[in-house]
Amino acid sequence: MTSGSVSDKYDVIIVGGGHNGLVAAAYLAGAGVSTLVLERLDHTGGAAVSAKAFSGVPARLSRYSYLVSLLPQQIIDDLQLDLELKSRPTASYTPVVRDGHHTGLLVERREASATAESFRQLTGGDAEYDAWRQFYGEIADFAGAVAPTLLEPLRTGREMRDLVDAKTWDYLVEAPIGAVIEERFRDDTVRGVVATDALIGTFADLHDPGLVQNRCFLYHLIGNGTGEWRVPVGGMGGVTDSLAVAARNAGATIVTGAGVSGIEADGTNATVTWHDGATWHSADCSYVLSNVAPWVLQVLLGEEPADRPEGAQLKVNLLLEELPRFKSGESARNGFAGTLHVAEDYSQLQTAYKEASAGQIPSTMPGEFYCHSLTDPSILGPLAAKGMHTLTYFGVHTPARLFESDRDGARDTAVGRALDAINEHLVEPIESLLAVDKHGEPCLEAKAPQDVDEALAMPGGHIFHGDLSWPWAPNRARLDTPAQRWGVSTDVENVLLCGSGARRGGAVSGIGGHNAAQAVLETIRAR
């Protein structure tokens, strides 16, 4: 499908119609730059889409990406997006068994007495809660300083360090995150809840000297200076649908069903070739913005690609007739309203990493559940009145290598262990509450990294397109060109990164798209 007629010459061609590509298109077209967006699938949105995952069932699930934190309010305002993001009343709940007793840790989104009491009951005193408040207060100060820089030209690490507390910088940026977690907290569950933000979509030990886990932790906590993860009304498709409208209204041409097969670029001019399923097409341009993974871009440029990224998550979508009850007595509405941590004690996370590193599916599967329909029942349509709910599971420490030899069998095993991990804490097993589709099949779909790769062309199923980078430049980095200054450069001067592979890409943020557009506009203005 095409919005607008396609010509043979543009100022900018964007490869990939995911959220970052749409952000870039809206900014560029709004500034009068002729812009073409080419999307391989028959719809825009990439991983941020809402879909009817189960046959004959009207519920629209956020099938891949599922929450919004890093999308800056400035982008929403600049593009006048028709988008509503709702806060979840609960930050997290972690059911655990202590000395044969079912209990848990409840963390409310806003500081309240119930959170302090939950810490006290689980840990036997106030020390862990005091440590929690101190730690996250420091992180909030750090995030408040870093977040405004994400939509500006890059600072160097030295410049960024001058903006924040030096002690916080040292434990977040200079040493493995596991060290400060072990130093500041004593309780195994509390340690695990803190550690999980370092592991979402990232397969790493908490003491990895490469610090990829630290970078993951930082990205999960700096969004808009608060780190709050919100639910988009209408599901993730509500985000990208509004972006597509903004891009079209600004004058961008969007072509879906356009599989790009090659990019020729010499630093000044470029030609992009694609196939629509019946016919080959090509168009010339001055700039190419790549919203595909850097590995895919290398292939399209005819280069020898680097090592293929490896994703590390198991994604499961479920539809329930009703929410299950917790053996701890915590209400389902409280427990499922935020992030439900399951088998994510610190020791369990470390054991799961060791098992996965040895090529084994973790014997006890750590992961997190999210019930979006408690915050946004609109995604259920008429099913909301029946008390039904969606549930999303995101498993950690499940690298793609575990599914290579027998994907179906390994996926089934992993799903079974994920459900076993939550069932330990439920009055009734979650399988007994699954709705069925029009064929009588349970409403459960699971996706290993390879499934994500095949559906979305994310190499290795890596949700960040590869390891995340620090959101600042190395101290000795060259920042001579607009593309370098905005963190979107490649080895080809007129080919820029606008997706998760950009220096400040990753998650559903639009930051990569914004920054690539600014680099192009800065170059055009200079000329």
Side-chain angles (χ1 to χ4, degrees):
M1 183 180 71
T2 303
S3 65
S5 59
V6 179
S7 73
D8 56 6
K9 174 69 176 178
Y10 290 87
D11 295 321
V12 177
I13 296 179
I14 300 173
V15 179
H19 78 280
N20 272 305
L22 296 172
V23 167
Y27 274 106
L28 290 167
V33 176
S34 62
T35 304
L36 171 67
V37 180
L38 299 174
E39 168 55 47
R40 176 181 63 91
L41 300 176
D42 63 1
H43 58 271
T44 57
V49 292
S50 302
K52 294 180 180 178
F54 306 116
S55 180
V57 179
R60 294 177 60 81
L61 283 75
S62 295
R63 202 167 201 171
Y64 299 102
S65 59
Y66 47 91
L67 288 170
V68 175
S69 167
L70 279 162
L71 176 61
Q73 185 63 40
Q74 179 183 325
I75 291 179
I76 296 174
D77 294 342
D78 285 350
L79 303 182
Q80 299 181 329
L81 300 183
D82 182 15
L83 173 64
E84 181 181 1
L85 301 175
K86 284 192 172 183
S87 295
R88 301 178 297 168
T90 300
S92 69
Y93 180 63
T94 308
V96 294
V97 180
R98 292 281 176 92
D99 301 320
H101 175 64
H102 285 273
T103 183
L105 179 65
L106 176 69
V107 180
E108 295 166 297
R109 192 174 66 82
R110 289 191 173 92
E111 190 174 308
S113 59
T115 301
E117 181 61 24
S118 186
F119 268 88
R120 192 174 298 119
Q121 290 184 3
L122 180 70
T123 66
D126 294 325
E128 289 294 87
Y129 184 49
D130 291 342
W132 174 280
R133 294 175 68 194
Q134 177 68 29
F135 179 75
Y136 281 106
E138 295 166 5
I139 298 298
D141 290 342
F142 191 99
V146 173
T149 73
L150 299 179
L151 297 180
E152 300 173 352
L154 282 169
R155 285 171 168 80
T156 64
R158 186 178 297 108
E159 291 169 332
M160 190 69 77
R161 191 178 191 275
D162 290 340
L163 296 180
V164 301
D165 181 80
K167 291 182 179 179
T168 309
W169 176 276
D170 287 345
Y171 70 67
L172 273 183
V173 181
E174 304 292 348
I177 193 72
V180 70
I181 293 173
E182 293 173 13
E183 175 190 343
R184 304 282 283 271
F185 303 101
R186 295 290 177 264
D187 186 87
D188 196 29
T189 298
V190 176
R191 283 179 170 182
V193 173
V194 177
T196 53
D197 279 324
L199 302 174
I200 297 296
T202 299
F203 184 57
D205 182 83
L206 291 163
H207 290 278
D208 187 332
L211 304 185
V212 63
Q213 74 279 20
N214 290 48
R215 300 193 291 275
C216 181
F217 184 85
L218 181 61
Y219 274 82
H220 280 101
L221 291 168
I222 61 174
N224 283 296
T226 66
E228 182 190 357
W229 289 82
R230 293 179 291 175
V231 175
V233 172
M236 293 303 292
V239 178
T240 50
D241 288 350
S242 65
L243 284 169
V245 170
R248 291 188 178 101
N249 287 346
T253 300
I254 300 174
V255 181
T256 57
V260 173
S261 59
I263 300 170
E264 296 179 11
D266 62 9
T268 302
N269 300 298
T271 300
V272 179
T273 302
W274 71 95
H275 198 274
D276 64 7
T279 307
W280 287 102
H281 304 269
S282 66
D284 297 328
C285 60
S286 299
Y287 304 94
V288 174
L289 301 192
S290 171
N291 193 30
V292 297
W295 190 92
V296 175
L297 176 61
Q298 288 183 297
V299 173
L300 295 178
L301 287 169
E303 301 173 354
E304 184 66 29
D307 292 340
R308 189 179 179 86
E310 181 185 30
Q313 72 287 326
L314 174 72
K315 179 76 188 295
V316 184
N317 292 313
L318 310 95
L319 181 66
L320 304 182
E321 294 285 353
E322 59 181 298
L323 290 177
R325 296 170 291 164
F326 289 106
K327 292 179 181 178
S328 67
E330 185 63 59
S331 73
R333 182 163 291 274
N334 276 347
F336 284 101
T339 298
L340 178 70
H341 297 283
V342 176
E344 290 192 326
D345 280 2
Y346 193 82
S347 58
Q348 291 174 312
L349 290 168
Q350 293 293 71
T351 297
Y353 175 76
K354 291 175 182 177
E355 290 176 338
S357 295
Q360 304 165 6
I361 295 173
S363 52
T364 300
M365 279 282 295
E368 303 177 354
F369 285 86
Y370 310 87
C371 181
H372 296 157
S373 51
L374 277 172
T375 304
D376 173 29
S378 73
I379 61 174
L380 290 167
L383 303 180
K386 299 180 179 181
M388 299 175 73
H389 283 286
T390 65
L391 207 58
T392 289
Y393 171 81
F394 192 100
V396 301
H397 290 334
T398 50
R401 69 192 76 166
L402 302 182
F403 303 90
E404 285 178 354
S405 60
D406 178 15
R407 190 192 310 182
D408 291 343
R411 192 197 305 109
D412 289 346
T413 297
V415 170
R417 292 180 182 176
L419 298 186
D420 287 344
I422 190 173
N423 283 340
E424 178 185 7
H425 306 287
L426 303 180
V427 174
E428 54 270 287
I430 205 164
E431 295 92 328
S432 69
L433 301 177
L434 285 172
V436 296
D437 67 14
K438 70 176 184 180
H439 303 296
E441 296 295 322
C443 291
L444 181 154
E445 70 165 11
K447 296 186 181 296
Q450 287 88 343
D451 300 314
V452 175
D453 189 342
E454 291 178 0
L456 301 175
M458 289 182 173
H462 201 303
I463 62 172
F464 302 134
H465 291 185
D467 288 345
L468 293 166
S469 303
W470 294 115
W472 50 78
N475 288 328
R476 297 182 180 179
R478 295 191 61 180
L479 301 176
D480 301 328
T481 68
Q484 291 169 345
R485 285 193 291 275
W486 286 95
V488 297
S489 63
T490 71
D491 291 337
V492 184
E493 190 171 344
N494 65 331
V495 178
L496 282 60
L497 301 174
C498 74
S500 287
R503 176 158 285 276
R504 293 171 289 190
V508 178
S509 72
I511 294 170
H514 170 277
N515 292 347
Q518 300 311 307
V520 170
L521 293 174
E522 184 179 322
T523 304
I524 291 173
R525 289 164 186 154
R527 289 178 178 174

